[in-house]
Amino acid sequence: MSETFTACLIIVGNEILSGRTKDANLPFIAERLEKLGIPLKEVRVVADEEPAVVKAVNECRAVYSYVFTTGGIGPTHDDITSECIARAFGVRLIRDPRAVKLLQSHYEDPSQLNEARLRMANIPEGADLIDNPVSRAPGFKIGNVYVMAGVPRIMQAMFEGIAPGLRGGPPVLSRTVSTRLGEGVIAEGLSAIQGRFPDLTLGSYPYYRIGMVGTSLVARGTDVARLDAAAAELRQMIRALGSEPIEAPPKE
Amino acid sequence: MSETFTACLIIVGNEILSGRTKDANLPFIAERLEKLGIPLKEVRVVADEEPAVVKAVNECRAVYSYVFTTGGIGPTHDDITSECIARAFGVRLIRDPRAVKLLQSHYEDPSQLNEARLRMANIPEGADLIDNPVSRAPGFKIGNVYVMAGVPRIMQAMFEGIAPGLRGGPPVLSRTVSTRLGEGVIAEGLSAIQGRFPDLTLGSYPYYRIGMVGTSLVARGTDVARLDAAAAELRQMIRALGSEPIEAPPKE
């Protein structure tokens, strides 16, 4: 598997840390990045506090090919991500004329574009804007950091805009084989298969659904033939243990 | 608000980073910790890779009062959290006789307690066990780090076992006032209220539901009277802007 490209997601938001809001951006970004061959290696959720955001951004941008952030670019006082990114990069936060123009195009009545909304045009100097086809207020890219909105449908639209410009490796693919057997029964055989497929990552995930207990075995990697070979060995192992593989894992 | 006690959650698991599994532990732990007066300040999701887990554990245990981990303590080869914690603390990983006994009590047929399952009795030397009333295989506590299972119902049972032993500050409480007004309209008044309530944290969260667009304003803090006063000011601000506050925010 290519390890050349890696990504980190930083979720900025007290509402996630308090449990009030359930984040919906992680799974979307994770799945899209796998298709782009840029595996997500770390996620951090940080508070709406400047030191926390600056520290996370600077630590992560030094380690990963790409850093994506979600949240904190709206018009209210608790939206501090843009200031934090400017601080992290040691650049000024400026009222970006391109962003002002975008906001002007969104509000028919010019009086609606008040000072609070104009804060959404404050962008670190030197950043490129990220298009927001939903509500105009842009995200931005500076260095290897991509700053996006927290509202899922806006974030998703922003991501689709930047995706074609991201360089990645071969897409990360997966094969899943499920079984009613417990993890303890299959662990030894699974470990042996992992040993024969060092180029793949094999994971074992117990599931508990109404009336159903079992384990999903997931092989991840970039080579279709190797994935198919590993899946065949997983099925064979399950049969050797006296059970039948389940091809379609039960829905979560 | 007391800032004496803080918590960090480390979620260990490739399945979360790939988007395959949606984490359900963060909201549970966040809400329980607020009641215990131990606000969750950071969450990290890290891969099933020793350097990543060790680094996250050592960074976070130095900064926060408590670190909780979920995931990676099962019987398969990709369950590496216990080894990583031992490495992070610089202690040996031992086959803990107390944990072996717990596992023996769980399997009626002794032959079921194979080597893979016995791996779940490998515990860092000097750790205290955390009870698992669901399936016996214990979690453990070492220093200020609490290591729990990833399966939500097991994690929840483990958490309820350790909760009475956690020292926290006053419970973090909240008041929510919603409105059909947009964030840009209320931002200025909200910021002024935040200025008058520096002891509270005011957050603004836009919502988009079928047929409904608006904003939920959330005040968080530990003093009931102050929270009620802030909520009253939020309602007053909304009325002054020509709208009506919505007491029950729409369900997510």
Side-chain angles (χ1 to χ4, degrees):
Chain A
M1 188 180 347
S2 167
E3 284 296 320
T4 312
F5 299 94
T6 56
C8 173
L9 169 63
I10 299 175
I11 299 169
V12 182
N14 290 345
E15 72 278 21
I16 310 290
L17 289 175
S18 72
R20 182 186 181 277
T21 301
K22 286 169 190 59
D23 168 73
N25 291 330
L26 192 172
F28 174 88
I29 291 173
E31 286 172 20
R32 290 291 289 111
L33 286 174
E34 294 229 321
K35 291 205 180 84
L36 295 166
I38 307 168
L40 186 60
K41 301 297 280 182
E42 183 173 348
V43 177
R44 295 194 190 185
V45 187
V46 296
D48 300 328
E49 296 167 9
E50 185 172 298
V53 181
V54 171
K55 180 170 175 283
V57 168
N58 278 337
E59 286 178 5
C60 296
R61 73 188 176 98
V63 173
Y64 301 104
S65 318
Y66 298 102
V67 173
F68 300 89
T69 79
T70 61
I73 61 168
T76 53
H77 70 278
D78 56 334
D79 290 305
I80 62 164
T81 302
S82 302
E83 292 94 309
C84 293
I85 300 284
R87 181 68 57 99
F89 279 84
V91 302
R92 290 192 308 151
L93 188 74
I94 59 163
R95 177 129 321 162
D96 190 300
R98 301 165 301 175
V100 171
K101 211 165 171 178
L102 286 168
L103 291 171
Q104 284 168 340
S105 74
H106 186 64
Y107 295 100
E108 290 183 19
D109 174 359
S111 75
Q112 289 191 301
L113 188 52
N114 58 21
E115 178 53 31
R117 284 175 169 143
L118 277 167
R119 278 191 68 221
M120 295 191 287
N122 292 352
I123 305 283
E125 193 164 23
D128 297 322
L129 299 191
I130 295 175
D131 188 36
N132 169 359
V134 178
S135 55
R136 287 292 155 236
F140 59 87
K141 167 196 183 299
I142 179 166
N144 59 341
V145 179
Y146 294 73
V147 175
M148 303 186 290
V151 174
R153 67 191 184 112
I154 300 177
M155 186 283 295
Q156 291 171 20
M158 287 180 169
F159 189 90
E160 295 310 340
I162 60 181
L166 300 174
R167 285 181 57 232
V172 180
L173 307 169
S174 70
R175 296 288 181 275
T176 301
V177 178
S178 294
T179 167
R180 296 293 181 89
L181 295 170
E183 283 197 297
V185 178
I186 54 181
E188 190 185 342
L190 182 67
S191 181
I193 298 174
Q194 175 71 82
R196 290 193 289 278
F197 291 87
D199 52 324
L200 305 181
T201 304
L202 264 58
S204 168
Y205 308 113
Y207 59 80
Y208 304 83
R209 312 264 191 294
I210 298 162
M212 281 198 290
V213 174
T215 309
S216 284
L217 304 173
V218 180
R220 312 188 81 80
T222 56
D223 184 319
V224 171
R226 292 286 287 166
L227 285 165
D228 287 338
E233 288 208 21
L234 291 172
R235 286 189 289 268
Q236 193 173 23
M237 170 189 73
I238 291 164
R239 290 203 182 91
L241 290 165
S243 189
E244 270 303 306
I246 306 165
E247 288 304 308
K251 271 284 183 195
E252 308 242 355
Chain B
M1 190 180 346
S2 168
E3 284 296 320
T4 312
F5 299 94
T6 56
C8 173
L9 169 64
I10 299 175
I11 299 169
V12 182
N14 290 345
E15 72 278 21
I16 310 290
L17 289 174
S18 72
R20 182 187 182 275
T21 301
K22 286 169 189 63
D23 168 73
N25 292 331
L26 193 172
F28 174 88
I29 291 173
E31 286 173 19
R32 289 292 287 111
L33 285 174
E34 294 228 321
K35 291 206 181 84
L36 295 167
I38 307 168
L40 186 61
K41 301 298 279 183
E42 182 173 348
V43 178
R44 295 195 190 183
V45 188
V46 296
D48 300 328
E49 296 167 9
E50 185 171 299
V53 181
V54 170
K55 180 169 174 286
V57 168
N58 277 338
E59 287 178 5
C60 295
R61 73 188 177 98
V63 173
Y64 300 104
S65 318
Y66 298 101
V67 173
F68 300 90
T69 79
T70 61
I73 60 167
T76 54
H77 70 278
D78 57 333
D79 290 305
I80 62 164
T81 301
S82 301
E83 292 94 308
C84 294
I85 300 285
R87 182 68 58 98
F89 278 84
V91 300
R92 291 192 307 150
L93 188 73
I94 59 162
R95 176 125 329 158
D96 191 300
R98 301 166 300 175
V100 172
K101 212 164 171 180
L102 286 168
L103 291 172
Q104 283 168 340
S105 73
H106 186 63
Y107 295 101
E108 289 183 21
D109 173 358
S111 75
Q112 289 191 300
L113 188 52
N114 59 20
E115 179 54 31
R117 285 177 170 144
L118 277 168
R119 278 191 67 221
M120 295 191 287
N122 292 351
I123 306 284
E125 195 166 21
D128 297 321
L129 300 189
I130 294 175
D131 188 37
N132 169 358
V134 178
S135 55
R136 288 289 155 236
F140 59 88
K141 166 196 182 297
I142 180 167
N144 59 341
V145 179
Y146 294 73
V147 175
M148 303 185 290
V151 174
R153 66 190 185 113
I154 300 177
M155 186 282 296
Q156 290 172 20
M158 286 180 169
F159 189 90
E160 296 309 342
I162 59 181
L166 300 174
R167 285 180 58 230
V172 180
L173 307 169
S174 71
R175 295 288 181 275
T176 300
V177 177
S178 293
T179 168
R180 295 293 181 88
L181 296 169
E183 281 197 298
V185 177
I186 55 181
E188 190 186 342
L190 182 67
S191 180
I193 298 173
Q194 175 71 81
R196 288 193 291 279
F197 291 86
D199 51 326
L200 305 180
T201 304
L202 264 58
S204 169
Y205 308 112
Y207 60 78
Y208 305 84
R209 311 266 191 294
I210 298 161
M212 282 197 291
V213 174
T215 308
S216 285
L217 304 174
V218 180
R220 309 188 83 79
T222 56
D223 184 318
V224 171
R226 293 286 288 165
L227 286 165
D228 287 338
E233 288 207 21
L234 291 171
R235 285 190 289 269
Q236 193 173 24
M237 170 190 73
I238 291 164
R239 290 202 182 93
L241 290 164
S243 190
E244 270 302 306
I246 306 166
E247 288 304 309
K251 270 280 181 198
E252 307 241 355

